[in-house]
Amino acid sequence: MTDKTVAGHGPHPGRALAELLRTWWESSARDGREKPTQQSLAKRLGIDQTTLSRYLNPSHSSNAPRRIVEQLHTVLRAPADDLARAYALAEAAAGAAPGRRRTAVAQPPGPSAKSGAARTAGSAAAGAKEAVTPAGSGTGEAPGSATAGTDTAGAGAGAGAPAAVGPVDAPGPGARRWDRFPVAFPTLAVSALLLLVFGGLAWWAAPAPGRNDAKTTAEVTDRPSEGTAWPLARKGNVLWKARTVQLLLRAHGHDVKVDADYGPATAEAVKKFQSAHGLTPDGKVGKDTWPLLIVAIDSGTKEPEAITAVQYLLHHAGVPTDSTGAYTPSTMRSLKEFQASRNLPVTGVGDEDTWRALLNAQGPDQHK
């Protein structure tokens, strides 16, 4: 997998971390060991399955803490060289959100506060004392100080004009209570007005009732844009494309290893399947091969590998689903939830349109 940078020119470190953690999980089935289910893995880590699903979903920015990263590395027996990079990505993801910074504060009219411009320009006006003028009297210009008279907004027009103060680290000695607030009252009023405006726009743009929008979860809507055509799976793919093709090949009786690696053996099995169905045997699964390779999923489905493939795709499309290989009531509910979120007929049956939508709802394409 192509290495991701943590610096500003690479993708978000949280997404890079999610891809790395998911790779650990996908690659844990080796040396005769089975890949743990997310349910059992979450229980072992002491977290709920939904949280673990978000940590392992490269469509999102993972915020897995250092403790979870270390435990996943140990439990999944990930490569030793990956741990330092995972730590770096976790720390970068945790610090990616900009910290809060004190904003400019507007001074109210009054006799006690010093001019903010005089504080910021102290070196240029060293030794000059600023005049303090009672509210409502004459001008507020400090005699003998050109800096104070120029930088204080409206100082020559009267003492009632507030002075603009730049970002400060802490209030100076004698600062009034007004200065200690992180945001001025007028700014709060403007912010409240903006919230009302944007809230009204969001309500106006919301879909009409009856479109099942309530079932569209954050995991479903926060993914990259999704296509509608059959994706192309070919030699060199890893993770979801390779695993889905391998499970479906096994459902059709082909003895391939489900290792999430579309290697020569998988390509050869695809060629045999294509030849048996009158297709050009090119070893690639595209718009002609997918419709023949998929299996309709319902309560009468006898191919556990095909059901496992649907459960796997549902889970990684943001609808948490246990991988059981059986069409359970939980699987039917997950299918209905996914179909509703894509405006498909809500039948609970994994038909051709549902398969195609599931494939287009996965994360980014992965290659060796």
Side-chain angles (χ1 to χ4, degrees):
M1 191 190 313
T2 304
D3 191 21
K4 306 287 183 183
T5 64
V6 184
H9 296 293
H12 192 284
R15 290 183 182 270
L17 176 61
E19 289 185 14
L20 180 59
L21 298 182
R22 180 174 169 180
T23 300
W24 290 354
W25 179 57
E26 294 285 358
S27 305
S28 61
R30 59 181 183 277
D31 300 329
R33 295 191 308 129
E34 292 185 0
K35 184 183 73 174
T37 64
Q38 289 198 14
Q39 183 179 18
S40 63
L41 187 57
K43 185 176 180 181
R44 186 165 182 179
L45 297 177
I47 59 177
D48 61 85
Q49 186 177 344
T50 301
T51 300
L52 178 63
S53 176
R54 290 187 64 83
Y55 290 163
L56 302 180
N57 192 342
S59 298
H60 302 278
S61 176
S62 178
N63 60 344
R66 185 184 180 99
R67 174 183 66 84
I68 296 297
V69 170
E70 184 175 2
Q71 287 180 316
L72 283 171
H73 184 269
T74 302
V75 172
L76 300 176
R77 300 184 185 180
D81 294 342
D82 283 0
L83 185 57
R85 176 169 172 255
Y87 280 159
L89 289 172
E91 292 173 2
R100 296 183 61 185
R101 184 183 178 187
R102 295 192 60 182
T103 59
V105 179
Q107 284 188 343
S112 62
K114 286 189 176 181
S115 167
R119 286 203 301 271
T120 56
S123 60
K129 293 186 178 180
E130 185 177 327
V132 178
T133 306
S137 67
T139 64
E141 183 176 353
S145 174
T147 304
T150 302
D151 294 343
T152 304
V165 181
V168 294
D169 294 330
R176 297 179 59 188
R177 183 177 179 182
W178 183 288
D179 293 327
R180 294 193 180 99
F181 288 107
V183 181
F185 290 128
T187 306
L188 288 175
V190 172
S191 299
L193 180 60
L194 289 175
L195 285 175
L196 287 173
V197 171
F198 284 117
L201 289 174
W203 174 84
W204 179 79
R211 291 179 57 189
N212 298 294
D213 52 291
K215 292 190 176 184
T216 305
T217 61
E219 288 81 8
V220 171
T221 58
D222 195 27
R223 286 191 308 276
S225 59
E226 299 157 349
T228 57
W230 291 104
L232 178 64
R234 61 187 185 278
K235 186 176 177 181
N237 286 138
V238 294
L239 300 181
W240 65 270
K241 279 187 178 179
R243 183 176 294 277
T244 303
V245 169
Q246 290 167 342
L247 285 168
L248 288 173
L249 284 170
R250 290 186 65 87
H252 285 279
H254 293 268
D255 187 17
V256 295
K257 183 178 179 181
V258 182
D259 58 1
D261 184 353
Y262 201 129
T266 301
E268 188 61 32
V270 170
K271 290 179 181 179
K272 292 180 180 179
F273 176 85
Q274 291 170 326
S275 296
H277 289 80
L279 300 175
T280 302
D282 58 3
K284 301 176 183 179
V285 181
K287 62 182 180 65
D288 296 324
T289 305
W290 278 117
L292 298 175
L293 189 61
I294 61 171
V295 175
I297 304 299
D298 55 26
S299 58
T301 303
K302 304 299 183 183
E303 295 83 0
E305 295 91 347
I307 299 175
T308 299
V310 162
Q311 291 169 334
Y312 170 81
L313 293 173
L314 280 167
H315 193 79
H316 289 279
V319 183
T321 308
D322 290 335
S323 180
T324 62
Y327 184 85
T328 62
S330 175
T331 302
M332 181 178 65
R333 286 193 297 270
S334 295
L335 275 168
K336 287 184 176 181
E337 180 178 346
F338 177 81
Q339 289 168 332
S341 70
R342 296 306 190 281
N343 290 326
L344 295 171
V346 183
T347 61
V349 175
D351 55 11
E352 182 172 321
D353 289 339
T354 302
W355 272 99
R356 186 168 60 248
L358 278 170
L359 290 168
N360 280 292
Q362 302 305 304
D365 201 3
Q366 302 288 334
H367 299 273
K368 288 198 295 185

